[in-house]
Amino acid sequence: MTRVEALGYLGLRVKSLEDWEVFATEILGMTASRQEIDGEDALVLRMDERAHRLTLRVGDDELDYVGWQVSGPDALDEVAAALDGAGVPYKDDAGLAERRGVRRLLRCTDPAGYALEFHYGATMMREPFVSPTGARFVTTAPDGADTGLGHVVVVCDNAEETTEFYRRVLGFKVSDHIVPVPGLLLTFLHTNPRHHSLAVAPVYGDGSAGINHFMVEVDDLDVVGRALDKVHQREIRQLATLGRHTNDKMLSFYVESPSGFGVEYGTDGLLIDDDTWSVVTYDASAYWGHVFDRA
């Protein structure tokens, strides 16, 4: 049984809130507001009716926390029981839940050291989301299933242990694997019809642990194209050219965020039917395109 419903939100520590505000609104098409959180200036980004999907505070350009949404109090109790059963310490943090705008929140760390916040009851805004670029972000499936913010890809020293934690303790399901180069295995996991909400990669070559990228999806290829035009016009570094992935079929490009890690911006992602799905391994990440900048 999948205990986690969707990727609810992300917290990031970034060196420049100002640069991110321009990037998020003018390139990605989110809306931004400045708020004070825990006594710190924060940039809060919206992409749908949720009060926030990304919260950025000043720091060292890294992943701060990952918010995993569950359906309600019973599901959160199941997460607590699963963590107890696995011997994973956690905190049922009412104060943090209030600051995050959710009804209840459990906080722990995964085997790779990333902070996780399991929550339900996220605040929905009366004011509609209106993108400054006309973007309509895909956060639900056609049947109404919640597919969340998008996905996040993390790199860690203990990829196998971390993957097993999400699979065995939290009920994530393996979607498939990609071996883009010999010796590098990427594992993709889902919690809802979105092909993956999380991917786990090992440290490879001279790389380091941390967030590799997060992905947001829009419902119109022209919105993707216009965003790509702005990336070119403003000479923002493009990490990978426009292309289509083998596994989730996403038509997307990758751009370097103001923090240095990537943002994947795409459309037409695959939805999974668990009743008919079989796990496979791909020998490449793209059918075409997605030529990565190795600089």
Side-chain angles (χ1 to χ4, degrees):
M1 177 179 179
T2 300
R3 300 179 177 92
V4 171
E5 187 175 44
L7 177 59
Y9 56 75
L10 291 174
L12 303 172
R13 290 285 185 172
V14 306
K15 288 190 173 70
S16 174
L17 297 180
E18 292 75 17
D19 289 348
W20 262 98
E21 184 168 2
V22 172
F23 177 76
T25 57
E26 297 183 13
I27 303 298
L28 303 182
M30 300 177 183
T31 58
S33 63
R34 291 295 185 99
Q35 300 178 21
E36 184 178 297
I37 298 176
D38 295 333
E40 298 180 77
D41 188 23
L43 182 68
V44 177
L45 303 178
R46 286 184 65 193
M47 50 188 282
D48 59 5
E49 68 273 23
R50 299 293 177 96
H52 64 96
R53 287 293 193 176
L54 294 107
T55 300
L56 288 65
R57 292 180 290 174
V58 174
D60 291 330
D61 288 329
E62 61 189 1
L63 183 61
D64 194 10
Y65 54 83
V66 181
W68 291 110
Q69 171 188 317
V70 303
S71 59
D74 292 343
L76 196 60
D77 287 342
E78 290 179 5
V79 170
L83 294 174
D84 281 332
V88 178
Y90 63 88
K91 183 178 181 180
D92 194 335
D93 196 326
L96 187 58
E98 183 176 1
R99 295 194 296 276
R100 296 285 191 262
V102 301
R103 298 306 305 169
R104 186 179 164 209
L105 181 151
L106 307 179
R107 184 177 171 97
C108 73
T109 58
D110 70 10
Y114 296 110
L116 310 181
E117 298 180 357
F118 303 99
H119 63 276
Y120 73 88
T123 300
M124 311 290 273
M125 302 294 286
R126 178 181 66 180
E127 293 297 322
F129 168 76
V130 180
S131 169
T133 65
R136 293 184 299 270
F137 291 94
V138 177
T139 56
T140 59
D143 65 359
D146 197 323
T147 56
L149 180 160
H151 72 237
V152 61
V153 178
V154 296
V155 180
C156 52
D157 292 311
N158 55 346
E160 185 173 350
E161 179 188 4
T162 299
T163 298
E164 289 303 284
F165 166 78
Y166 284 97
R167 192 172 73 86
R168 294 187 181 277
V169 177
L170 300 176
F172 284 51
K173 297 178 180 178
V174 173
S175 304
D176 46 41
H177 306 277
I178 295 178
V179 181
V181 295
L184 176 59
L185 176 71
L186 311 180
T187 301
F188 299 80
L189 302 111
H190 67 277
T191 67
N192 57 59
R194 187 186 292 280
H195 176 274
H196 61 282
S197 296
L198 173 69
V200 179
V203 174
Y204 182 78
D206 59 358
S208 59
I211 180 173
N212 177 271
H213 73 271
F214 68 84
M215 183 281 299
V216 291
E217 181 180 2
V218 295
D219 70 352
D220 186 343
L221 178 58
D222 289 338
V223 172
V224 176
R226 286 193 289 269
L228 184 55
D229 279 350
K230 290 179 183 177
V231 167
H232 291 154
Q233 291 161 5
R234 301 184 186 195
E235 298 183 340
I236 302 171
R237 183 184 175 201
Q238 189 177 343
L239 298 179
T241 60
L242 187 70
R244 189 179 292 277
H245 278 306
T246 50
N247 63 345
D248 70 353
K249 317 307 178 192
M250 185 76 69
L251 181 61
S252 63
F253 68 90
Y254 291 71
V255 59
E256 185 176 65
S257 75
S259 293
F261 54 76
V263 175
E264 182 183 2
Y265 200 74
T267 192
D268 199 26
L270 179 69
L271 298 177
I272 281 178
D273 180 351
D274 277 320
D275 290 336
T276 58
W277 189 256
S278 295
V279 175
V280 298
T281 301
Y282 292 92
D283 67 352
S285 63
Y287 289 119
W288 57 269
H290 283 165
V291 177
F292 282 87
D293 181 353
R294 304 300 181 185

